[in-house]
Amino acid sequence: QLGREHQGITLRGSAELVAEFFSYGINSILYQRGIYPPETFTRVQKYGLTLLVTTDPELANYLNNVTEQMKEWLYKCIVQRLVVVISSIDSSEVLERWQFDIECDKTAKDDNGPREKSQKAIQDEIRSVIRQITATVTFLPLLESACAFDLLIYTDKDLAVPEKWEESGPQFIANSEEVRLRSFTTTIHKVNTTVAYKKDSVP
Amino acid sequence: MAQFLFEADLHGLLKLDTPIPNAPPARWQRKAKESGPGPSPVGVSPMKPANRSHSSSKTPSKTPGKSGSKVQNTPTKAGGDRYIPNRSTMQMEMANFLLTKENDPAEESPTKKEQQKAWAVNLNGFDVEEAKILRLSGKPQNAPEGYQNNLKVLYSQKMTPGSSRKNSRYIPSMPDRILDAPEIRNDYYLNLIDWSSQNFLAVALDNSVYLWNHGSGEIIQLLQMEHPDVYISSLSWIKEGNYLAVGTSSAEVQLWDIQQQKRLRNMTSHCARVGTLSWNSYILSSGARTGHIHHHDVRVAEHHVATLAGHTQEVCGLKWSLDGRYLASGGNDNLVNVWPCTQGGGGDFAPVQTFTQHQGAVKAVAWCPWQMNVLATGGGTSDRHIRIWNVCSGACLSTVDAHSQVCSILWSTNYKEFVSGHGFAQNQLVLWKYPTMTKVAELQGHTARILNLTMSPDGTTVASAAADETLRLWRCFEMDPIKKKEKEKANSAKSSIIHQSIR
């Protein structure tokens, strides 16, 4: 493990790190916002934190598919954004929208050598973002009704749509309030996080 | 050339009066072919009963397939002798537009194009030309039926009926006294009350500290900050009760003598506000917004004797164990660190335990008085759990969901219980039995979240300070008179407190 720290970051390593972050980030959002019952989550140690991941096999499988696909697309630098859309099941109204913008340094493909940034520094940055996601519970409005989530990925126009994926609209929230969270960077990929939520109609 | 054929086809379709060249044979034609040799009772020409059943069904029907007739779904539903595709799926307007727009002037000025592009980007949030949105289909099933979003349940919790089991003692549901605490700062991360062993309750109201004598009811204003913008962020009495440590928002730690009402020391070593303080005989530990904990030896001039760097965000909970061997700290970074009282080999302080299980800021930190090495911690809004730890093994002995932000935990010396203070939605104090972790009582009364708890020197009363600008004193650990006498006998046998003078 020590050796890895000194090696620096390669494009593939960066893609893995970011895809992993998305996996844990999405799990955290599903737990914190109560999309799935809290009993279906289990605690794991990651980034020096205790994180909650789902034990539901179907959901875990679904998220795995996304993570694997993200890894590939991140490596090719063709993905621009990952969005978690939370909408009410009854009214199909979008209530919350978590947007992760990805800025990819395309010159990394041409570089041969790894970039200089310690794993620990990246882990610390990721840790701050995940903690912020957890803390958003304090200001995000309550999700009154049962909700479902959707994952949208913004990719380059000319990408061949793989099996199981379909094209979709952006699913914006009509009257929203936006909060910008911390960002982290691996020097090859930079991820900015924002959460948009429906403004309460009651003043 | 191909587009002209297509166009012709479309025109033909739209006109609807010429037979379509490539359409499948009409039903009557097919039937004619089938029943070539002999006639069948079912009509083969358009005017037969088969069609009548169609016309008797309700028209116009947008979904011809659902007319309820027993006729099968054939292409010639609505007529019989010609091919008319399903109108509801045809996009007539779209087709018309596509056809007619060829005639519009194709030239668009460059600025108009730019404008359109800007509109598109604004509406879609991205450049349609350069990106597209994909969605993974086959989403897993949603949460099962009957699952109510947990957060909704806890944030709209109404008063739960008390346990039907009779408590072994009477706990008054109303506070003994309510004191006014105007201008108390509603900041979760501060520690603004403390009760001394000499029965003085110290309260920090914005930039002043008041002492309330529990015995006589007298109120003294001990100090007021000179600078108007500076406020008091923490208070802690020394064990003997004659000195009070005060932490300020200007990063100072002050030491005040109560008898003379004078400031003895002003110790500066932090760079940010000092939110929490804890005494271990002559060592005063302070936690700051930077996440650093400093040890101050108050007897010597060079007071800053150690720095503990274990938190990356504000330290809000800080408690020395009763035997002085460990210091427990909780921070806004959701970590709980347990520090030894002496440095390790390298001269640096390193925590013997770090607990990451809390999902929220840990302000409530308390050591068990009757069991060694047992620590209770409580998490903030994002977490809401109370956890009991064994700091030697690092094991979490028990966890309980308190359904509400935990601001403080106090163990009782009279009973094997502890009390926790909470925020939204009930702003209550909860008494828990240890180790069964069952609720003994819930004390309601505060109209805003509880910020701090402190215990009287005789262990019978708990004082709670809340954002509703009141202090309530709850007599929840009242001792039975018989048991009280036994305890007093036991106490008098112990050695007396050794006074230490502080220069």
Side-chain angles (χ1 to χ4, degrees):
Chain A
Q1 282 299 318
L2 260 179
R4 273 185 86 188
E5 276 206 34
H6 296 290
Q7 267 171 23
I9 300 297
T10 60
L11 178 58
R12 198 164 271 294
S14 175
E16 255 189 60
L17 277 172
V18 179
E20 219 177 29
F21 160 73
F22 283 134
S23 165
Y24 287 104
I26 295 169
N27 269 295
S28 293
I29 293 172
L30 294 178
Y31 172 77
Q32 288 297 337
R33 303 311 285 140
I35 313 285
Y36 289 89
E39 311 83 66
T40 62
F41 287 84
T42 180
R43 301 185 132 78
V44 296
Q45 287 287 330
K46 185 82 192 169
Y47 309 124
L49 289 175
T50 300
L51 296 176
L52 289 127
V53 290
T54 183
T55 52
D56 181 315
E58 265 190 58
L59 180 56
N61 195 30
Y62 178 81
L63 290 178
N64 264 342
N65 282 342
V66 177
T67 312
E68 285 307 311
Q69 190 60 259
M70 282 299 287
K71 228 186 271 187
E72 216 189 283
W73 284 339
L74 283 164
Y75 179 68
K76 295 192 194 145
C77 288
I78 48 183
V79 60
Q80 300 166 8
R81 211 178 266 186
L82 172 80
V83 178
V84 182
V85 176
I86 296 176
S87 43
S88 160
I89 295 182
D90 303 318
S91 64
S92 307
E93 201 190 351
V94 180
L95 296 172
E96 237 174 66
R97 198 168 180 277
W98 294 78
Q99 185 166 293
F100 299 93
D101 293 313
I102 303 164
E103 285 165 27
C104 183
D105 187 354
K106 298 222 159 107
T107 65
K109 275 199 242 184
D110 315 321
D111 274 356
N112 286 328
R115 302 277 177 95
E116 278 304 310
K117 186 155 187 187
S118 77
Q119 283 251 339
K120 188 170 182 311
I122 299 173
Q123 271 213 355
D124 283 344
E125 287 179 19
I126 292 180
R127 184 166 46 226
S128 315
V129 180
I130 295 210
R131 256 200 231 118
Q132 272 199 313
I133 294 175
T134 312
T136 55
V137 145
T138 51
F139 65 83
L140 286 176
L142 261 190
L143 296 173
E144 297 276 324
S145 52
C147 288
F149 80 99
D150 237 331
L151 286 177
L152 306 178
I153 302 193
Y154 287 49
T155 62
D156 283 352
K157 187 99 175 129
D158 45 6
L159 173 69
V161 180
E163 222 181 273
K164 293 196 216 163
W165 292 80
E166 54 197 32
E167 297 212 26
S168 155
Q171 299 197 42
F172 282 131
I173 301 178
N175 185 21
S176 73
E177 199 78 69
E178 245 190 50
V179 176
R180 187 122 185 206
L181 302 182
R182 284 213 173 97
S183 55
F184 75 91
T185 171
T186 62
T187 67
I188 299 178
H189 291 106
K190 179 161 190 259
V191 179
N192 299 315
T193 313
T194 14
V195 57
Y197 55 95
K198 184 155 177 279
K199 253 196 252 194
D200 277 334
S201 43
V202 183
Chain B
M1 279 297 283
Q3 74 266 30
F4 293 106
L5 290 172
F6 173 67
E7 209 171 319
D9 272 350
L10 268 177
H11 272 299
L13 282 171
L14 289 170
K15 282 211 198 112
L16 301 173
D17 55 358
T18 54
I20 297 166
N22 299 325
R27 184 165 177 264
W28 62 271
Q29 287 169 342
R30 283 206 328 272
K31 286 291 173 192
K33 275 191 223 150
E34 278 172 14
S35 58
S40 69
V42 182
V44 296
S45 81
M47 302 316 285
K48 281 300 166 141
N51 289 336
R52 221 181 295 139
S53 68
H54 275 288
S55 46
S56 64
S57 67
K58 284 205 183 113
T59 54
S61 137
K62 285 220 165 117
T63 51
K66 291 188 183 164
S67 56
S69 64
K70 296 201 183 106
V71 182
Q72 279 182 1
N73 219 6
T74 66
T76 59
K77 302 187 260 293
D81 63 344
R82 57 189 175 205
Y83 172 61
I84 295 176
N86 189 349
R87 278 182 215 256
S88 56
T89 59
M90 284 194 72
Q91 296 175 312
M92 296 294 193
E93 291 94 2
M94 178 61 110
N96 190 40
F97 170 72
L98 283 172
L99 291 169
T100 52
K101 85 167 168 70
E102 298 293 307
N103 300 328
D104 284 344
E107 302 309 309
E108 278 178 344
S109 63
T111 46
K112 197 151 182 243
K113 274 200 180 137
E114 280 273 330
Q115 201 182 51
Q116 284 191 345
K117 189 168 175 176
W119 275 113
V121 173
N122 263 330
L123 282 171
N124 295 324
F126 64 100
D127 198 345
V128 190
E129 301 301 312
E130 287 171 18
K132 63 182 174 187
I133 306 177
L134 298 179
R135 189 175 145 267
L136 179 58
S137 57
K139 215 173 51 182
Q141 65 181 60
N142 294 322
E145 294 285 323
Y147 161 61
Q148 193 179 10
N149 192 335
N150 203 18
L151 295 172
K152 178 177 188 209
V153 172
L154 76 95
Y155 283 117
S156 54
Q157 215 180 31
K158 293 289 171 223
M159 212 174 100
T160 49
S163 63
S164 48
R165 196 170 30 91
K166 265 201 181 148
N167 290 319
S168 50
R169 71 178 191 275
Y170 170 63
I171 299 170
S173 57
M174 299 292 287
D176 207 32
R177 278 184 100 113
I178 302 181
L179 302 173
D180 211 17
E183 306 288 311
I184 195 167
R185 281 191 89 92
N186 181 7
D187 189 332
Y188 175 80
Y189 300 100
L190 307 184
N191 290 282
L192 301 174
I193 57 173
D194 199 13
W195 206 324
S196 78
S197 54
Q198 303 301 311
N199 223 352
F200 278 93
L201 180 57
V203 182
L205 301 178
D206 197 29
N207 62 353
S208 327
V209 173
Y210 292 86
L211 302 182
W212 182 69
N213 187 329
H214 186 215
S216 66
E218 208 192 324
I219 303 178
I220 311 162
Q221 183 179 13
L222 176 65
L223 63 98
Q224 186 166 15
M225 291 284 119
E226 298 105 33
H227 205 272
D229 294 333
V230 172
Y231 58 87
I232 295 169
S233 46
S234 54
L235 291 179
S236 186
W237 287 100
I238 199 172
K239 194 158 103 182
E240 292 76 25
N242 46 356
Y243 300 113
L244 178 65
V246 178
T248 70
S249 63
S250 51
E252 295 169 341
V253 179
Q254 301 183 352
L255 202 57
W256 287 74
D257 182 327
I258 301 312
Q259 265 126 9
Q260 303 174 25
Q261 295 193 29
K262 238 173 62 166
R263 189 176 78 184
L264 295 174
R265 293 197 74 160
N266 189 1
M267 302 180 278
T268 49
S269 57
H270 282 295
C271 341
R273 78 172 181 193
V274 180
T276 179
L277 298 164
S278 185
W279 284 94
N280 180 7
S281 72
Y282 54 82
I283 298 283
L284 172 63
S285 304
S286 55
R289 200 168 210 174
T290 55
H292 290 111
I293 298 166
H294 290 182
H295 287 328
H296 308 272
D297 184 336
V298 296
R299 305 167 303 177
V300 299
E302 281 302 312
H303 55 89
H304 183 189
V305 295
T307 306
L308 278 58
H311 291 282
T312 48
Q313 288 185 54
E314 180 148 30
V315 180
C316 39
L318 197 65
K319 281 274 160 35
W320 276 99
S321 65
L322 295 146
D323 51 12
R325 283 174 45 210
Y326 294 112
L327 172 66
S329 65
N332 196 27
D333 50 5
N334 310 351
L335 296 180
V336 177
N337 281 322
V338 181
W339 308 86
C341 54
T342 48
Q343 283 131 313
D348 264 339
F349 275 93
V352 295
Q353 296 288 354
T354 302
F355 303 128
T356 59
Q357 275 85 328
H358 281 291
Q359 301 285 311
V362 185
K363 180 177 166 195
V365 175
W367 293 91
C368 183
W370 65 86
Q371 260 196 316
M372 288 256 295
N373 305 321
V374 169
L375 176 70
T377 56
T381 311
S382 317
D383 179 67
R384 311 176 294 275
H385 281 71
I386 296 174
R387 289 174 183 273
I388 316 283
W389 313 88
N390 177 322
V391 301
C392 284
S393 64
C396 183
L397 302 174
S398 38
T399 309
V400 71
D401 188 352
H403 299 299
S404 176
Q405 174 192 64
V406 185
C407 68
S408 187
I409 295 178
L410 289 177
W411 292 88
S412 169
T413 40
N414 297 343
Y415 294 91
K416 296 251 181 301
E417 294 168 9
F418 63 89
V419 59
S420 58
H422 296 279
F424 187 80
Q426 296 191 59
N427 314 315
Q428 82 279 44
L429 285 91
V430 182
L431 275 78
W432 306 84
K433 189 112 190 79
Y434 184 74
T436 54
M437 303 299 273
T438 48
K439 276 192 200 177
V440 173
E442 280 195 39
L443 303 173
Q444 316 216 341
H446 278 294
T447 53
R449 69 172 173 178
I450 298 180
L451 299 166
N452 289 112
L453 295 179
T454 184
M455 178 115 58
S456 64
D458 61 3
T460 61
T461 311
V462 172
S464 58
D468 59 4
E469 296 186 332
T470 63
L471 259 87
R472 284 169 207 241
L473 274 67
W474 311 84
R475 213 172 181 79
C476 46
F477 295 124
E478 186 82 67
M479 285 286 277
D480 220 353
I482 309 155
K483 288 187 188 159
K484 209 180 194 173
K485 281 193 186 134
E486 285 176 4
K487 211 178 174 207
E488 272 168 19
K489 274 192 202 155
N491 277 342
S492 59
K494 285 195 195 144
S495 56
S496 58
I497 303 159
I498 301 164
H499 285 275
Q500 287 192 347
S501 64
I502 293 173
R503 228 176 293 126

